[in-house]
Amino acid sequence: MTIGEVELHAMLLTASVAAACAVPGVFLVLRRLAMVSDAMGHVLLFGIVVAYGVVGSLDSLWLKVGAVLSALLTVILVEQLQRTRLLREDAALGLVFPALFSAGVLISSLYFRNTHLDVDQVLLGHVEFAARWDALPMLGLLALNLLLVVGFYRTLKLTTFDPTLATMLGFAPVAVHYCLMAMASVTVVAAFDAVGPILVGAFVVLPAITARLFVDRLGPMIALAVGFAIFGAALGVRLAFSFATNTAGMAAATCGLVYLIAFLLSPKRGLIAVWLRRRRLRQAWLQALDAHG
Amino acid sequence: MIGLDSNILPVAFGTAILGAVSGGVGCYAVVRRQSLQGDAISHAALPGIALAYMLGLRSEIFLLFAAGLSGGLSLVWVQAVVRRRGATFDAALASAIVVFFGLGVVLMSRLQRTEGGAAAARLPQFLFGQEAAVLTFADLVPMLILGGLALGVVVLFWKEFLLLSFDADFAMTLHLPVRGISVLMTIVTVLAVVVGLQTVGVVLMSSLLVAPAIAARQWSSRFGHLMLYAMAFGSAAAYAGTLAAHHLGERGSAVPTGPTIVLCVTAVALLSIAFAPHRGLVPGYLRRRKAGAA
């Protein structure tokens, strides 16, 4: 079994995308914001289309800026809607992101039909065409994300697990929240070229919840999540090339498979471990009952 | 009505009925704080559709059945993930969406490679809904039947569904089969998602469940009225959205019905939040100002 050069580049790119996404992913999952990553992915198209309409060029950094802004716009809109207290968080999210996504699809099919802004490609990514150095910016982003998390580790930890105490001690949970959202949206935007905006969520959410099955501490959870992300993505690319199918989809599905295996086999929370533990307890109980007549 | 040809009106009428079905059923999801459930179901329909296609089951009813089956399966995934306590409900939902959608993309891309043209043209329409010009009323008949079924179940189990949505503990003390009713509610939700797939598409379907209920909530606090309002809003938005897509299509750009319907229904929700007489933001502001002046 040999791995071709194209496949190797795709593997490098997907693995670095997955690892970079897994870092903010841990915090999103712990802060119950997992669905926000899904929403962010959906609204990128809107930002890109609007930025394209304004700038008029496809190879522009402005498209990325537009995408990041649209992700942040979603976060702000959801929070503002929630603050009216007329609807709850889940409903606000469910109202905002389909609307922005629709606006994106509508504008692109009305005005940009004949350009290269291909909705299918924007949606599904094209990691198959990865070139030699494509993984470098993603590796840089991974390094930046890790650096930020290590640098602000205690702040992040405190605001994630006890926002009230964090406020009392003079930290600013709201500011930290927005910084985290900015980090997540920049990462998602950087990643979506490769894997498409909807499936970016796979690398944000799945490694984090897989890691959570094994550990209860934040540091190890981040490290494990990055590890699972790299493993799942690399394996996904391998499988995609053997079955000749969409790489991003396969990488997402493989991360799901990794979760499923962990779900069964994790020594602490796994289905089998819990079942065995319960059985042992039950038998110990029965024996104790017998012994005491 | 200017410049409308005659065969768009039946189609708009059909989508309006489907809008009423998903608007009505969506009320349960919104009051149970599970607004994003529909998002998981609809994204998860994709692998079902692709798999049915691969197995050669290409008639409408098989596709819908497969879509519903894999949509329902995604909720089983969500339940399992939440029970393991490694993840909260939202993380479980998000994971279900990406795993099932990823699988769907994998299967779709296989299909497009092996089958080429026909499947390649057919499957993307499930992403955003069909273009209004292509849709005919006959396409909608199977979905109208399923939608009628969903509403029938809602009427039949009205009391049980209501009790379970607002006070599940009380339902338990009455020895109601809570699990069974809950499964039935889920099936109804899945039906409501499935019926909208062809007009709105998997990516945008959740909006048609959630937005009418959000709008309706601003107008009434009684659940029966809420559902009637939501059905009215859902059908009006679907009707207007279909006509808008058709109108834009006549001017030469191929516009799928999904985005226009979603934008209409979102506009209704936002207008309701702003202007509904009792809860609305603007009337509330005016009341406060008047009270301040007095």
Side-chain angles (χ1 to χ4, degrees):
Chain A
M1 194 165 63
T2 55
I3 293 179
E5 198 178 344
V6 180
E7 183 179 345
L8 193 67
H9 292 154
M11 212 177 251
L12 261 175
L13 177 59
T14 315
S16 48
V17 163
C21 289
V23 177
V26 167
F27 290 98
L28 291 187
V29 165
L30 289 175
R31 290 163 171 249
R32 305 181 176 221
L33 296 168
M35 282 304 286
V36 173
S37 70
D38 181 58
M40 276 182 179
H42 282 84
V43 301
L44 298 188
L45 183 67
F46 174 75
I48 291 169
V49 165
V50 170
Y52 177 68
V54 174
V55 183
S57 136
L58 270 180
D59 296 319
S60 149
L61 192 64
W62 290 109
L63 298 195
K64 307 247 164 187
V65 174
V68 171
L69 289 181
S70 68
L72 289 176
L73 176 72
T74 309
V75 174
I76 293 169
L77 277 180
V78 168
E79 273 159 16
Q80 289 304 316
L81 275 176
Q82 239 179 298
R83 276 179 56 181
T84 65
R85 297 203 209 146
L86 296 178
L87 67 174
R88 298 204 186 93
E89 186 187 7
D90 59 325
L93 202 59
L95 187 67
V96 170
F97 79 81
L100 289 181
F101 187 71
S102 300
V105 173
L106 193 64
I107 295 172
S108 72
S109 62
L110 278 182
Y111 298 111
F112 308 133
R113 289 224 58 172
N114 302 319
T115 58
H116 294 288
L117 202 69
D118 178 3
V119 173
D120 276 358
Q121 204 179 24
V122 168
L123 266 182
L124 302 180
H126 42 85
V127 77
E128 294 87 348
F129 307 127
R132 185 177 288 261
W133 303 112
D134 278 0
L136 270 187
M138 289 315 297
L139 284 174
L141 192 64
L142 169 64
L144 181 69
N145 283 351
L146 283 175
L147 212 65
L148 282 172
V149 167
V150 171
F152 297 94
Y153 190 69
R154 279 181 295 184
T155 315
L156 279 169
K157 197 172 178 178
L158 190 59
T159 51
T160 300
F161 292 107
D162 197 342
T164 319
L165 181 64
T167 314
M168 289 198 304
L169 294 178
F171 293 94
V174 181
V176 174
H177 171 76
Y178 277 106
C179 289
L180 202 60
M181 285 295 140
M183 176 180 172
S185 48
V186 168
T187 309
V188 167
V189 168
F192 91 98
D193 254 354
V195 294
I198 300 180
L199 294 173
V200 165
F203 307 129
V204 175
V205 177
L206 288 168
I209 63 175
T210 313
R212 189 70 186 82
L213 288 172
F214 292 93
V215 289
D216 289 324
R217 296 175 58 85
L218 183 59
M221 186 176 164
I222 297 172
L224 257 186
V226 170
F228 280 126
I230 293 172
F231 176 68
L235 186 65
V237 174
R238 185 76 267 273
L239 290 175
F241 274 75
S242 342
F243 290 105
T245 183
N246 179 281
T247 313
M250 191 53 114
T254 312
C255 284
L257 188 70
V258 170
Y259 174 77
L260 212 57
I261 293 170
F263 179 90
L264 291 175
L265 300 181
S266 151
K268 203 189 271 175
R269 295 208 166 87
L271 199 65
I272 295 172
V274 169
W275 184 74
L276 285 177
R277 200 156 55 227
R278 286 221 181 110
R279 209 179 69 147
R280 214 168 40 238
L281 266 176
R282 201 165 53 228
Q283 272 164 0
W285 242 98
L286 288 176
Q287 273 170 11
L289 275 180
D290 285 346
H292 294 282
Chain B
M1 298 275 148
I2 313 148
L4 288 175
D5 60 60
S6 56
N7 52 14
I8 188 60
L9 287 177
V11 173
F13 183 68
T15 56
I17 295 177
L18 299 179
V21 173
S22 28
V25 173
C27 292
Y28 291 116
V30 172
V31 300
R32 297 178 93 190
R33 306 190 184 194
Q34 296 179 340
S35 302
L36 299 167
Q37 202 186 42
D39 202 36
I41 300 172
S42 62
H43 280 76
L46 198 63
I49 294 169
L51 206 61
Y53 227 86
M54 276 181 156
L55 297 174
L57 306 169
R58 295 180 185 191
S59 70
E60 196 69 31
I61 202 77
F62 281 128
L63 289 183
L64 291 181
F65 184 73
L69 212 60
S70 66
L73 205 60
S74 76
L75 295 182
V76 175
W77 167 289
V78 171
Q79 286 303 322
V81 170
V82 169
R83 284 242 184 105
R84 267 311 101 211
R85 283 190 296 181
T88 48
F89 183 68
D90 66 309
L93 268 185
S95 72
I97 290 173
V98 290
V99 169
F100 280 78
F101 195 76
L103 218 53
V105 169
V106 165
L107 295 176
M108 254 174 71
S109 128
R110 275 298 300 174
L111 259 176
Q112 291 184 337
R113 234 158 266 191
T114 52
E115 307 249 339
R122 183 84 199 276
L123 290 174
Q125 93 195 16
F126 284 104
L127 283 178
F128 306 119
Q130 225 158 28
E131 283 162 26
V134 189
L135 221 55
T136 65
F137 188 74
D139 288 339
L140 299 177
V141 169
M143 284 170 286
L144 290 175
I145 295 170
L146 287 180
L149 194 70
L151 283 187
V153 174
V154 167
V155 171
L156 218 59
F157 290 89
W158 179 257
K159 269 191 217 158
E160 286 83 357
F161 282 8
L162 200 60
L163 195 55
L164 211 63
S165 301
F166 287 98
D167 199 342
D169 293 337
F170 184 50
M172 205 100 80
T173 63
L174 293 178
H175 292 290
L176 282 175
V178 170
R179 258 193 96 75
I181 298 170
S182 170
V183 169
L184 197 63
M185 281 179 87
T186 308
I187 292 174
V188 168
T189 312
V190 170
L191 273 179
V193 170
V194 163
V195 298
L197 284 182
Q198 195 159 35
T199 46
V200 182
V202 301
V203 184
L204 297 171
M205 187 53 218
S206 67
S207 173
L208 206 54
L209 287 174
V210 176
I214 293 173
R217 181 67 190 86
Q218 314 310 323
W219 295 86
S220 171
S221 295
R222 288 189 59 87
F223 191 75
H225 297 173
L226 183 82
M227 191 175 269
L228 288 178
Y229 273 119
M231 288 171 77
F233 289 145
S235 62
Y239 188 83
T242 310
L243 288 188
H246 177 73
H247 189 64
L248 292 171
E250 277 187 335
R251 289 171 46 198
S253 33
V255 178
T257 41
T260 49
I261 292 178
V262 168
L263 286 176
C264 286
V265 79
T266 308
V268 172
L270 291 179
L271 288 176
S272 301
I273 289 169
F275 296 113
H278 288 290
R279 288 167 56 108
L281 294 177
V282 174
Y285 171 75
L286 292 179
R287 263 201 307 279
R288 272 198 306 280
R289 213 176 64 160
K290 208 164 144 194

